Amino acid sequence: MELLLYQLKFMEKLIDKIHEGGRYILIKGKSGSGKSFTLKQLESELSKDQYQIIIFDGDYQYDDREYYPFKKALFLGEDSAKELIAGGFAEASKEIPVAGNIISYIIKSFIEKQSTPHNLLLNSDEQNILAKLRQILKKPHIVLIFDNIHWWDRRSLQLLKLLLTNKEILNPDKLNNFTTVFSMTTNQSALHADLLKDIIDEVNYEEMLFPVVGLIEFKNTLFNTTLQNFSDTQINLLFNLVNGHLQVLFEVINEINNHNFDFNATYESNKQYLSTVLEKRLKEYGADSTQILKTLEYAAIIGITFSVYELRNITKSTENEIKKIIAETSKLTITEQTEEFDYIKFAHDIIREIFKTKVEQDHTEYYYSLALCIKEIKPDQYLRRARYCIKCLDTEDAVILYMLEAVKQIRLYGKVLNTIFEEMSPLMNSLQKEYLKLMQEAYCLYSKKEYKQASSKLSLILDIFPAELLAERDILKIRCFSKTMASNEIQDIITKSNNIRKNNTFNGEKDIWERYSQVVMIAFAHLGEITLAREVEDDTLRSLSERLNYDDTAKKRLNIIKRVANSIHNIDVSAVFVKDAFDYFGNSLLDIRQYYICLGNYTTILINQGDFEEAYNIAVQGFEIEKSNADIEFPRIQLIRNNYILAGYLSGYLDEDDCIHLYEEMLSEMPIISERLFYNSNLSIFWALKDNPQKAFDILHNEALLHYDTEEKEGLYQYRVVTNTAIYQHLLGQSDVAVRQLNGIRDLTKRLINGSYFSKRNELLIQLMESGTVTTGKEWLKKLFSIQPTYQDLAWQYFGLGYAFMAVCNWDMSE
């Protein structure tokens, strides 16, 4: 469909303002006048002049999905946005060109981290959105279109206000290459009018009124499309009936062309008229019309966009039946295809509103069916389901879902949105409010790395709540345990948790069951219970795979499991899985924080495979991400620095003094947490390489004493402490003690992931020590290769080194 003349003229004026460098433009107009359609045409028109356009579109039915306009445009949107984002960091590689500069950056970054706190105003979703916008705004000639902004969800509006007003976060005033277009409908109520007014008042905008079709153009369009002449009275009647709404105009034209239009009829409103027209057209399908009507009513409460899968599950129809209905309604211009696989949309919101009104008047049971469907295919949409339960007068289930939504918001955003809390609070009793208070406090302590205090807070939540709410408590509790050294107590707790996981579906809540399974899996990995961890992984992947086509949370969670693959899989398998996750989060930068974590884990895989130079180059990309997003607090930045140091040394970019200097700077800023043991273990190796085995022994031995006694330790930690201290003792002339230590961990090396490599190294170290071989600390690095030059594959280049280095992975499965 082409633009009408008045739309074309408006678009030309808008293009002129954009070319003139207009910064903020506010478009106001009536519903149905064609604003969104014109803006879509603007996108194709401006692309001819090398402009890049990103459309952030609101949907009033999606107010319960946080950051929906941003996520749809940046994560799920069209290729133009993805192409703008993809590869952005590769262009930044010139910023840190040589090793010396990187060392300076690393040291400087630790100092800045202490003196300049990261911007804690932004949660992880907001940080991710900000990173994408920054990459987009590096390009020339950008137009950001905020369409239907009066329907945006509250968190999206809060973020937009922050981006426009907080100069430290984005500072759009310093950017001269973009235009922002706001579009809103004047005859529809804004969902969050207070915030919308604040945003509009904050910018120096130029207002443009979007016109409606005029009488002359209406008359010409009517004649050109119907090839009929009408009297002035008839034209005026039609013109007043349409009242500037193009969708009604097109339906009137269809009725005239079908010789169905009754000029003597009167209608109270356009919507009533259009409803009558649509019902009349559907009746043409005879017996099928009832099923079509029912399907469209269900679709109307899903959203302006809906999927074949959702409709199939709600209506209990076959896929072919649904697709046949969609084909028929597309012919009637009621629905239309989208660019997303299997997703359909209503041709206009007024059509969707007609069917939605019918549901609310006559079919509240539809909401119950939809709530059950959403529970199956998008289970973490608790707020949406809670509101459906309220419509069905199911207050008891609604309260539980509201509480789950509150925990989700605390987990992801740090606190519950005030408007949501006000909505749910009148339905809750004092015990339920106390539960949320304790969960809020526990998550706050967890974020501060105060894991024991968080666990204590969680212990105050008694076993009097439904299974799904207790599971949320226990998920956080297990995450706290995984941050500490393993013990017999923790072993018992994890075993008990796994039994609960196998025998409890948490009232069918898949989102909770999967997150519960994830933390149990990683806890088993920490304990070295690899077989059990793999069983849990299989169960979780099977659950996620059922809805990968329709639930973006499931896709993300699947790839988070892949990025921790080396926790329970050998190097051959984990190399494939971690690379998959690295590509998934890296392509189009789907999630900046997850990509950063994957990047760090991928460097570990590359080091394990003996590809030290590639690991070094990938680590540098991690520093570029940090530099480009200096106010984002990336998790465990020490990890990528550790891997950078190892890769840099093993590929010849760094020497021992560089490595010692970097480790000492890094460790000086770290609290006493278990991860320090890995870094001190690596640091000790570089002192041994400088022929100071006594200092190497003291560093590692003293650090180990801070964390555990000889009866309480995890395999990965124990292996490195025992192996490296044994090597240092041998270099100090205490070979008998060293051999006893290494003999003491023979069984342990077999239980570790990649145990064949660890066992072979242990065997060769004992062989060398028993033979009386003595070398310098540096010669010891390659000594094993002299008696076993190759073993299995290239990974022996890493695992066959004379010292037990530790390339570190982030096994945290937080989203």
Side-chain angles (χ1 to χ4, degrees), residues 282-293:
L282 288 173
K283 285 179 181 177
E284 297 171 4
Y285 289 90
D288 292 337
S289 62
T290 302
Q291 186 182 14
I292 295 174
L293 181 63

Side-chain angles (χ1 to χ4, degrees), residues 619-638:
V620 172
Q621 287 187 36
F623 300 139
E624 290 158 4
I625 291 175
E626 293 174 11
K627 283 195 68 175
S628 299
N629 302 277
D631 59 351
I632 291 179
E633 187 169 17
F634 289 103
R636 294 175 65 184
I637 64 171
Q638 291 87 357

